[in-house]
């Protein structure tokens, strides 16, 4: 319970039943001004089996994202004092996962675009392939759903090539 003790010290207003680690999987949900979708996303994640722990990193939202996430009582909510951007919010989540000995951590968008049902597939690949990281992409197959702008697709392709060069795969 070392993680719970340090968490309660840093965030004394977090209810113990939420702060207690119940899973080896943590879903990190960085959120900035996502009051329209955050409750639905938390509910969606809590339908997964086995049920992961959910950490909402409220990245200095100016709306009701943090309070609404807390009302669900189904996610731990960390309120950052100011907007750090996606990188800072994700880093906060992964630091939390590391400090609390989670075996696996998954980043999940707060806007409802990601499918929670895909998380078990990612976790299965971690175990089956014996790798340390898996990246899911909605761009792997052609379909009639979401399609980003041409400029964004070019940027994604550049980062894809850069990642391949850096990790030699």
């Amino acid at each position: 319970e070392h993680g719970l003790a340090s968490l309660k010290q840093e965030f004394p207003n977090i209810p113990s039943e939420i702060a207690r680690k119940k899973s080896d999987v943590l879903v990190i949900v960085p959120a900035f001004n996502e009051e329209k979708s955050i409750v639905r996303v938390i509910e969606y994640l809590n339908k997964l089996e086995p049920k992961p722990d959910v950490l909402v990193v409220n990245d200095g939202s100016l709306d009701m994202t943090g309070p609404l996430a807390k009302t669900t009582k189904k996610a731990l909510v960390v309120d950052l004092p100011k907007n750090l951007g996606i990188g800072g919010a994700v880093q906060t989540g992964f630091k939390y996962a590391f400090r609390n000995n989670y075996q696996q951590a998954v980043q999940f968008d707060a806007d409802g675009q990601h499918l929670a049902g895909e998380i078990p597939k990612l976790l299965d690949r971690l175990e089956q392939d014996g790798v340390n990281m898996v990246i899911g992409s909605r761009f792997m197959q052609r379909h009639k759903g979401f399609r980003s702008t041409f400029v964004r697709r070019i940027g994604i392709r550049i980062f894809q090539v850069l990642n391949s060069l850096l990790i030699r795969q």
Side-chain angles (χ1 to χ4, degrees):
E1 294 290 311
H2 169 68
L4 177 60
S6 66
L7 183 67
K8 289 300 285 177
Q9 189 174 10
E10 284 182 67
F11 305 100
N13 296 328
I14 296 173
S16 296
E17 68 274 8
I18 297 172
R20 187 168 293 116
K21 182 178 173 187
K22 300 175 193 108
S23 174
D24 281 332
V25 177
L26 179 68
V27 177
I28 301 161
V29 184
F32 178 69
N33 292 342
E34 297 290 355
E35 69 182 5
K36 290 185 171 102
S37 58
I38 194 65
V39 171
R40 186 180 67 240
V41 167
I42 293 167
E43 295 291 341
Y44 193 31
L45 290 168
N46 273 271
K47 290 180 181 175
L48 290 174
E49 288 296 334
K51 191 175 292 192
D53 289 349
V54 177
L55 173 69
V56 174
V57 181
N58 180 25
D59 192 17
S61 294
L62 304 173
D63 64 3
M64 295 296 291
T65 298
L68 285 171
K70 289 173 188 170
T71 64
T72 68
K73 298 190 176 183
K74 294 180 179 179
L76 172 64
V77 180
V78 173
D79 291 306
L80 299 179
K82 64 178 186 170
N83 181 264
L84 297 180
I86 186 72
V90 170
Q91 186 176 34
T92 299
F94 280 109
K95 282 184 176 183
Y96 177 85
F98 177 76
R99 289 181 182 158
N100 290 280
N101 300 312
Y102 282 92
Q103 298 302 304
Q104 296 152 333
V106 178
Q107 177 191 340
F108 194 85
D109 282 358
D111 60 9
Q113 286 188 41
H114 290 165
L115 301 173
E118 298 293 307
I119 291 175
K121 293 178 187 177
L122 295 172
L123 298 175
D124 286 346
R125 294 303 297 206
L126 281 173
E127 288 186 31
Q128 289 174 7
D129 296 350
V131 296
N132 294 320
M133 185 171 88
V134 176
I135 300 172
S137 173
R138 60 184 165 203
F139 303 111
M140 296 298 289
Q141 298 176 345
R142 291 196 181 274
H143 54 81
K144 295 179 182 176
F146 176 82
R147 183 156 171 89
S148 64
T149 65
F150 176 74
V151 173
R152 186 167 184 171
R153 289 193 311 271
I154 295 287
I156 289 169
R157 183 69 179 140
I158 289 168
F159 281 115
Q160 187 180 33
V161 169
L162 182 60
N163 270 336
S164 293
L165 291 171
L166 289 173
I167 63 173
R168 297 184 180 104
Q169 287 189 356

